[in-house]
Amino acid sequence: MAGVGFWALVVLATAVSLLTAWTLGANSNSPPFAPAIGANAISTMRAAFLIGILAALGALTQGGAISETVGAGLIDGVAITSLAATAGLLTASAFMAFGIYTGYPVPAAFATTGAMVGVGLSLGGDPAVGTYRQIVTFWVLVPPVSGGLAYLTATILRRDDIPETVGVPLLAAVVGAIVANVQLSVIPSGPDATQNSLAGFGADLVDLPAVATVEPMVAVVTVAFAALSFQFIRRRTQQSVDKGIRTFLVVLGSVVAFSSGGSQVGLATGPLENLYSAELGLPGLVLLAIGAVGILGGAWMGAPRLLQATSREYASLGIRRSIAALVPGFVIAQAAIALGIPISFNNIIISGVIGGGLAGGSAGVSRRKIGVTLAFWLITLVSSIAIGFGLYRVFAAVLG
């Protein structure tokens, strides 16, 4: 039977996980609405409220993939103990808390990944080189892909020969098609799966022969969602271009905030995967619920400060360039969740904000701010590994 010391560590590790989730809600889940605030499409406080609700729902329905990677995929040969998880989460939380109070968006994925690698190495584990290669490749590709897509989208939206009553609804159709294929745990799935999409559920209900490896019902549902999204935003833009564009901007912020919860919660819950599943025998939903509560509280209490910093300082965006910043953010976020790769929403959204800003000329982008942010991201990754390694050694020496 587990002793008092074990349960004390369980309580401590859970409390630190909640703290980490709180900082994630205040820090990394905030940027999705920053472009909307910068474009005056929504107020800061209302955005913070929506971020909390949507990110918590995303955490519960999409949070398992990243959690597994962070909890078991970063180190080979050892299992992350409750003491090691506590050391790693404390390290990551300290970095993110620093970002909240200084106004510099700290990449949560960099801080948490570095911290867990550090404590894992301190435990005597071996580096998971293959996983590192995949993660780093994805991270390196995020800025050029997000910024490039945002630049391209913003350039198209600025063209005089493409009416806004057509261009914006077409972007809405793309988002709607992706939403139809987002994997969620609340949608009934087959016996060998834990998640399903609305398009996949339609294919399960109506079993038709595949055409060139494509399920006909998946295509039908995808096209239907795209068409509905196109028609909804088109009607809004026909009534009032500005009103329709602002509506789409808020919708984009909402789906990206939902996606952020699905990926970011794993940064708080992943270190406790072994403790809760193997040692306590609890279902994964319990751990995700703990993370969701922390994210909700952090978004409501801590998000407004960073929202202001991110939306005002990186680029002076108009409504159209703000849309351009969010579309690639949503696409990249869902790709990361599908691949199980921890990502930084600060990285994605800020790259999109910069790309959208450059489409209107470099005058609206602070080059010094960009340079300082990039340097700070690299420092975060390297120093979190070192601090996580050392902090666990201290805890092990003091607590045994």
Side-chain angles (χ1 to χ4, degrees), residues 62 90 92 96 100 151-153 180 186 202 246 256 275 289 357 398:
Q62 282 196 300
L90 280 174
M96 288 182 279
I100 294 171
Y151 180 88
L152 177 62
T153 305
V186 294
R246 290 176 189 275
V256 176
L275 173 63
V398 173

Side-chain angles (χ1 to χ4, degrees), residues 41-349:
I42 190 172
S43 68
T44 299
M45 296 309 297
R46 181 173 294 181
F49 176 79
L50 287 177
I51 287 168
I53 298 295
L54 294 168
L57 290 174
L60 288 172
T61 58
Q62 282 196 300
I66 309 298
S67 189
E68 291 182 8
T69 299
V70 174
L74 298 177
I75 290 293
D76 294 332
V78 296
I80 301 297
T81 65
S82 55
L83 186 61
T86 302
L89 288 170
L90 280 174
T91 300
S93 296
F95 276 94
M96 288 182 279
F98 176 80
I100 294 171
Y101 288 104
T102 60
Y104 281 95
V106 172
F110 288 27
T112 305
T113 300
M116 295 312 298
V117 169
V119 299
L121 294 174
S122 190
L123 275 169
D126 299 319
V129 178
T131 302
Y132 302 161
R133 186 180 298 112
Q134 184 182 33
I135 291 174
V136 171
T137 300
F138 197 95
W139 286 352
V140 170
L141 289 175
V142 164
V145 171
S146 180
L149 288 175
Y151 180 88
L152 177 62
T153 305
T155 301
I156 292 173
L157 289 175
R158 288 168 57 87
R159 290 176 62 93
D160 295 332
D161 56 344
I162 301 178
E164 290 171 324
T165 53
V166 175
V168 176
L170 283 175
L171 289 175
V174 172
V175 173
I178 296 173
V179 168
N181 290 275
V182 167
Q183 299 287 321
L184 301 172
S185 60
V186 294
I187 300 176
S189 59
D192 298 327
T194 58
Q195 294 183 332
N196 200 359
S197 66
L198 291 172
F201 182 61
D204 293 338
L205 290 178
V206 183
D207 189 12
L208 298 176
V211 179
T213 70
V214 176
E215 293 283 349
M217 279 306 299
V218 170
V220 169
V221 174
T222 300
V223 172
F225 266 74
L228 288 172
S229 301
F230 177 90
Q231 187 63 21
F232 173 69
I233 297 300
R234 180 167 170 79
R235 285 182 178 178
R236 300 283 288 184
T237 55
Q238 287 176 331
Q239 293 171 0
S240 168
V241 171
D242 285 342
K243 186 176 181 180
I245 291 176
R246 290 176 189 275
T247 298
F248 183 47
L249 191 59
V250 173
V251 170
L252 270 177
S254 298
V255 295
V256 176
F258 179 88
S259 302
S260 74
S263 65
Q264 301 298 283
V265 72
L267 302 177
T269 60
L272 302 185
E273 281 280 336
N274 180 68
L275 173 63
Y276 269 69
S277 62
E279 298 188 47
L280 298 180
L282 295 174
L285 187 61
V286 173
L287 191 54
L288 292 178
I290 292 172
V293 169
I295 285 176
L296 179 66
W300 284 357
M301 291 184 281
R305 178 184 177 89
L306 192 67
L307 280 169
Q308 289 288 349
T310 306
S311 63
R312 308 300 183 194
E313 294 180 15
Y314 282 88
S316 300
L317 293 180
I319 295 177
R320 293 150 189 82
R321 283 180 286 163
S322 298
I323 290 175
L326 283 174
V327 170
F330 176 51
V331 174
I332 293 172
Q334 287 300 324
I337 291 174
L339 295 172
I341 295 177
I343 55 170
S344 167
F345 263 81
N346 291 325
N347 191 351
I348 295 174
I349 299 300

